[in-house]
């Protein structure tokens, strides 16, 4: 009798600027538990972390790189631009400097970086060609960061249309999708028009693409109200990501048909 093939697992890493450090905490838990990942898709900060993971880096290695990153490594101001105040060209250069000018075909795992076609508002799953400009496009917040012209399209941050890219992973072949949501909305204390406006934007981004509802398992670190830009919060983001992932391990085990409470391994999976 032949063994039943195990489910193919996809990992959807959502957008959230420097909150992306929470992705690394979640990855560390999944890695330690032996959860096998077959496909990866990332939006914005999730595309940066996802690209490094898909290239074959372990969570501990990604954490080391992230701990040394500063905004100057990723962004530079631009003068007299109609498109934004900063450019993420430096992010693309950093990726090439650290990992080489990788093509998607060079990656260990099938990977897609999600960007938004700024002329149509439609999601674009970038999964061919050079990796660095695709990640740059996925992270480029319109109005703040200059967009990227790629494959004849004007591209910006994927969080505008698909924050947690679950649907892309299903199209790639995933049977079971684990999503990591780092963009939860929160009504701030002492409301003001500005704070309520921020909350409204968070709600729109959080719901974009429907991935938070469609994931088979959603890991949702408690990040509501926390900073999107303060790199000094990296350790706290990491811890909250790992805590949220640990809370979901029994669900993942159950969904994969394994005894709850036992360590997962690629060999043990059905």
């Amino acid at each position: 009798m032949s063994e039943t093939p195990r489910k193919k697992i996809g990992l959807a890493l959502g957008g959230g600027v420097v909150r992306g450090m929470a992705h690394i905490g979640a990855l560390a838990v999944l890695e330690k538990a032996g959860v096998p990942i077959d496909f990866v898709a990332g939006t914005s900060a999730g595309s940066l972390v996802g690209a490094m993971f898909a290239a074959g880096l372990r969570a501990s290695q990604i954490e080391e790189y992230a701990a040394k990153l500063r905004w100057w490594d990723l962004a530079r101001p631009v003068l007299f631009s109609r498109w934004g105040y900063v450019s993420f060209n430096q992010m693309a250069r950093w990726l090439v400097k650290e990992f080489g000018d990788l093509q998607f075909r060079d990656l260990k795992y099938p990977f897609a970086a999600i960007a938004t076609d700024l002329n149509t508002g439609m999601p674009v799953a970038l999964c061919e060609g050079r990796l660095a400009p695709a990640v740059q496009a996925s992270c480029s917040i319109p109005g703040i960061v200059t967009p990227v012209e790629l494959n004849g399209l004007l591209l910006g941050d994927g969080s505008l249309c698909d924050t947690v890219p679950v649907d892309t992973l299903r199209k790639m072949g995933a049977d079971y999708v684990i999503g990591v949501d780092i963009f939860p909305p929160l009504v701030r204390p002492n409301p003001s028009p500005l704070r309520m406006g921020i909350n409204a934007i968070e709600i729109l981004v959080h719901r974009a693409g429907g991935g938070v509802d469609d994931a088979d398992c959603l890991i949702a670190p408690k990040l509501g109200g926390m900073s999107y830009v303060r790199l000094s919060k990296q350790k706290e983001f990491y811890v909250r990501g790992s805590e949220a992932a640990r809370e979901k391990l029994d669900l993942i085990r159950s969904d994969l048909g394994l005894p709850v409470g036992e360590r997962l391994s690629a060999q043990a999976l059905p």
Side-chain angles (χ1 to χ4, degrees), residues 88-100:
F88 276 170
N89 287 340
Q90 188 63 23
M91 174 190 292
R93 295 189 188 103
W94 179 84
L95 283 167
V96 172
K97 174 177 174 288
E98 296 295 336
F99 309 110

Side-chain angles (χ1 to χ4, degrees), residues 68-146:
K68 292 186 257 186
L69 271 179
R70 298 294 178 265
W71 276 114
W72 191 249
D73 298 315
L74 304 175
R76 298 290 169 88
V78 291
L79 300 176
F80 313 116
S81 171
R82 297 175 298 164
W83 298 102
Y85 298 104
V86 299
S87 164
F88 276 170
N89 287 340
Q90 188 63 23
M91 174 190 292
R93 295 189 188 103
W94 179 84
L95 283 167
V96 172
K97 174 177 174 288
E98 296 295 336
F99 309 110
D101 194 3
L102 295 175
Q103 304 274 325
F104 279 87
R105 64 172 180 265
D106 300 323
L107 300 177
K108 181 178 180 180
Y109 304 105
F111 171 65
I114 308 303
T116 300
D117 182 337
L118 297 179
N119 283 306
T120 66
M122 296 298 293
V124 178
L126 299 167
C127 53
E128 295 180 340
R130 296 179 62 226
L131 179 67
V135 172
Q136 178 188 349
S138 180
C139 295
S140 296
I141 306 165
I144 300 174
V145 184
T146 56

Side-chain angles (χ1 to χ4, degrees), residues 6-267:
R6 70 167 176 84
K7 293 180 179 179
K8 296 293 185 181
I9 300 173
L11 182 64
L13 302 177
V17 203
V18 300
R19 293 183 183 184
M21 193 72 181
H23 287 319
I24 308 173
L27 275 172
V29 170
L30 296 175
E31 185 179 277
K32 186 176 180 180
V35 178
I37 304 300
D38 299 289
F39 307 96
V40 186
T43 296
S44 198
S47 75
L48 182 57
V49 175
M52 289 190 280
F53 178 76
L57 274 70
R58 299 179 65 84
S60 59
Q61 294 173 301
I62 302 173
E63 182 186 6
E64 289 175 7
Y65 277 107
K68 292 186 257 186
L69 271 179
R70 298 294 178 265
W71 276 114
W72 191 249
D73 298 315
L74 304 175
R76 298 290 169 88
V78 291
L79 300 176
F80 313 116
S81 171
R82 297 175 298 164
W83 298 102
Y85 298 104
V86 299
S87 164
F88 276 170
N89 287 340
Q90 188 63 23
M91 174 190 292
R93 295 189 188 103
W94 179 84
L95 283 167
V96 172
K97 174 177 174 288
E98 296 295 336
F99 309 110
D101 194 3
L102 295 175
Q103 304 274 325
F104 279 87
R105 64 172 180 265
D106 300 323
L107 300 177
K108 181 178 180 180
Y109 304 105
F111 171 65
I114 308 303
T116 300
D117 182 337
L118 297 179
N119 283 306
T120 66
M122 296 298 293
V124 178
L126 299 167
C127 53
E128 295 180 340
R130 296 179 62 226
L131 179 67
V135 172
Q136 178 188 349
S138 180
C139 295
S140 296
I141 306 165
I144 300 174
V145 184
T146 56
V148 175
E149 292 187 46
L150 194 62
N151 302 330
L153 302 174
L154 188 67
L155 300 176
D157 196 303
S159 290
L160 296 174
C161 59
D162 198 2
T163 301
V164 182
V166 171
D167 186 56
T168 294
L169 287 164
R170 300 210 190 279
K171 292 176 181 176
M172 292 169 71
D175 304 306
Y176 184 87
V177 178
I178 301 169
V180 186
D181 169 30
I182 60 172
F183 214 108
L186 180 75
V187 176
R188 273 71 172 172
N190 304 314
S192 68
L194 176 60
R195 289 187 171 190
M196 292 308 296
I198 292 172
N199 176 241
I201 292 171
E202 286 179 331
I203 291 170
L204 290 170
V205 172
H206 186 247
R207 309 305 304 181
V212 292
D213 297 315
D214 295 339
D216 297 292
C217 173
L218 186 69
I219 296 172
K222 296 176 182 177
L223 302 175
M226 296 186 70
S227 173
Y228 292 103
V229 297
R230 290 178 60 188
L231 290 169
S232 60
K233 292 288 186 180
Q234 285 191 31
K235 187 61 179 178
E236 188 173 356
F237 295 145
Y238 179 95
V239 170
R240 296 197 182 201
S242 62
E243 289 174 346
R246 281 197 296 271
E247 290 174 0
K248 294 293 186 175
L249 278 180
D250 281 347
L251 172 62
I252 294 171
R253 291 183 174 103
S254 176
D255 288 347
L256 296 176
L258 293 168
V260 173
E262 290 188 7
R263 185 183 183 277
L264 282 170
S265 70
Q267 291 75 27

